[in-house]
Amino acid sequence: MNTPPLPRESRDTLFLLGALAWTLLPQLTQVPPWCAALAYAALAWRAWLAWHCRPLPSRWLLVLALLGASAGTLVSHQSLLGPSAGVTLLVVMSALKTLELRARRDATVVFFLGFFLVLANFLHSQALTTALAMGIAVWWLVAALVLSHLPEAPQTPPPPLRMALGLSARLLLTGLPLVVALFLLFPRVAPLWSMPTPGVGRTGLSDELRLGDVAELAQDDTLALRLQFETPGDMPPPSQLYFRGPVLSAPSGSGWRRREERGLGQPMLSMPAASGTATGRTVRYEMTLEPLGLGVLPLLETARTRPSRPDAEADQPWWRHPEGHWPTQRPLTERIRLHASATLDTPQHDPRALAAAASPAATPADDPRWAPYLALPAGEHPRTIAWADAQRADLPATADPTHPAVLAQWLLDHIRQQPYVYTLAPGRLADDPVDRFWLDQRAGFCEHYASAVTVVLRRWGVPARIVTGYLGGEVNPLNGVLEVRQRDAHAWVEYWHGGRGWVRLDPTGAVAPERVRRGERLPAPGGVVAQTLVRLDPLLLEQVRAAWGAAEHQWNQWVLGYTPHRQQDLLAALGWDALDPGQLGRWLALATAGLAGGAAAWWGWQRHRAGRDPWLRGHDRLRHVLQCKGYDAPAHLSVLGLRDHLRAQLPEPPHPDARAFTPFADTLALLSQWRYAPPAQRPAANPAGLWRAARRAARRLPTATVKRGTSRP
């Protein structure tokens, strides 16, 4: 049994509700849960009312819902003002407004609330996914607006959705050049173009470390940074792609935290200089850093020169810490682009080279410079400390108990010889995590090994600290950009060697050498879509990921990275290098006024054309084509009269010239049926399309012997 079609009002309302539901999707993770639930419940209720053609709820119920939403906003945000509270109220009120769609005025309000929601989504994210989703939302909202203004003749089917979607797409494409011009040329004054940044960033590395934190990050596929080297051949091997983040040298319970640069009003004590001379290849690169919420720039080791922002004139809010990392004045809550360099000379643990060197002088335990790097938390890790004391007494006679490289190598050999396992899921380490991991469970991730080795080295009198950051990454085959993700997070150890300085020691290399040598990661569980793509084609997921990564990089570089400096470079290339923002604004205002005047003139011409009956315009254009072919086409004849009159001017079948007349005559018959038949018997074709088909058929007719020219009306 065929279901009767929905009334036009119900169909248009359901389409508008679908567009609003799509627009609200990005807000699900930004607004309080009650707000998202209330908004989608209101949309679902309104859809049910439209589907069943039921009356709208009374106004007092909407007033109660509005008061409840205001109270919920006040409780959730402690205020009704500010960006977060404003977005929450906007989401709720947009959904509740659909429950009082009684007139076109109400629909217009809902349309523009939808456009405000599109803008509100960019307050939280300007990613390419958000831009594409909001582009679809704008298209659907404009289509809903077009639907509300399309007329409907009595006893005729409603205008199809396809027509509204096509018309809205043409409108948006028509305005696209103007949008691009405004984006490129509108003066980029900071208050207008700066985005409010949230108080915290995304989950990532931090100034504190608890065992298990890095393992959780290793299951996060979120992008952390992108790196493009100045010279393609400058990319170091995976074993040297260490991105130095926070250096954690202060014990904090069973974990570690970053040491403050200043303490008790005194500057940090400087470390003794190493006797070796730093040599190594220097590589230069451009880094696009995502808003990680981190207070340190994760730069490629070793960064000795100050990174610069090519799109900023002010002093750079970061400096080189004595421990080798680059802290910032505030957490990184916005995407930034950096130009930096790295010298690939970081001393790495090499037992043959370091052990061959003369044994460095023992570190004085009472020297205040070394105290922070020898300190152990009181009452923590008692079993590991007792184990370290016992092993120190039982070291082989050939081992130098005062040589830090020898002690470090003994620990690496111990890890290789014992049944230690490298895993993302070591299980719950109750009580003392270091003791449980090192002596009992022997299964952990990089931070477990780094923490245990640091405790043992400090107990043996070797200054040591933990460094967190990223290791490795993937090169996008489409653009050659190195993409480093949160799952590349890593932790390693540095110990002090009197002849070389701070030496990198990565205990992970003893249990999972492929992680250090080739930058391989442990496989993290994928989502449903990723698993489906892998089943279809093992390479398809990587190809899709590479294409999407390249598109995101271009979006970040040329849209989000279009800064005032890049705008000035563009203006200089166009020969307008002497323009300041004020002059540019005046020229843009004049250009906008000119475009507005041209649009007004075009609109007036269209209205002048629309003053005449479209049927008569189509009839005159068809007569013009026939007269150009040499036929007599009087203006007083109808389309069927024109058909019969033209048939008399052509030879009778089976003459070859008579064959071209058949499609022409059939098209004129359809036009006459559309014009004069009852609405139920009219053809589904558009009359404008039928007139175009008639003109095409007329051009295929044979040329008459005597040509009667005329001017086109």
Side-chain angles (χ1 to χ4, degrees), residues 363-411:
T363 303
D366 56 350
D367 191 334
R369 294 175 298 183
W370 300 115
Y373 303 102
L374 294 172
L376 291 171
E380 298 287 341
H381 326 313
R383 296 171 56 207
T384 302
I385 291 174
W387 178 90
D389 293 340
Q391 296 300 322
R392 180 70 176 270
D394 295 338
L395 284 176
T398 56
D400 184 355
T402 63
H403 200 300
V406 173
L407 298 176
Q409 184 60 35
W410 190 92
L411 284 175

Side-chain angles (χ1 to χ4, degrees), residues 210-278:
R210 295 289 181 268
L211 297 192
D213 290 350
V214 182
E216 292 179 3
L217 279 181
Q219 303 183 61
D220 182 3
D221 199 41
T222 306
L223 186 72
L225 57 94
R226 285 188 173 96
L227 211 70
Q228 191 162 20
F229 290 90
E230 189 175 284
T231 304
D234 279 352
M235 182 177 294
S239 60
Q240 291 185 321
L241 290 175
Y242 281 83
F243 296 87
R244 191 181 189 88
V247 177
L248 312 177
S249 55
S252 176
S254 60
W256 304 86
R257 60 178 174 80
R258 200 175 82 176
R259 184 184 174 197
E260 298 294 336
E261 184 178 2
R262 295 178 180 273
L264 302 178
Q266 298 296 325
M268 177 180 287
L269 296 172
S270 60
M271 303 304 299
S275 60
T277 302

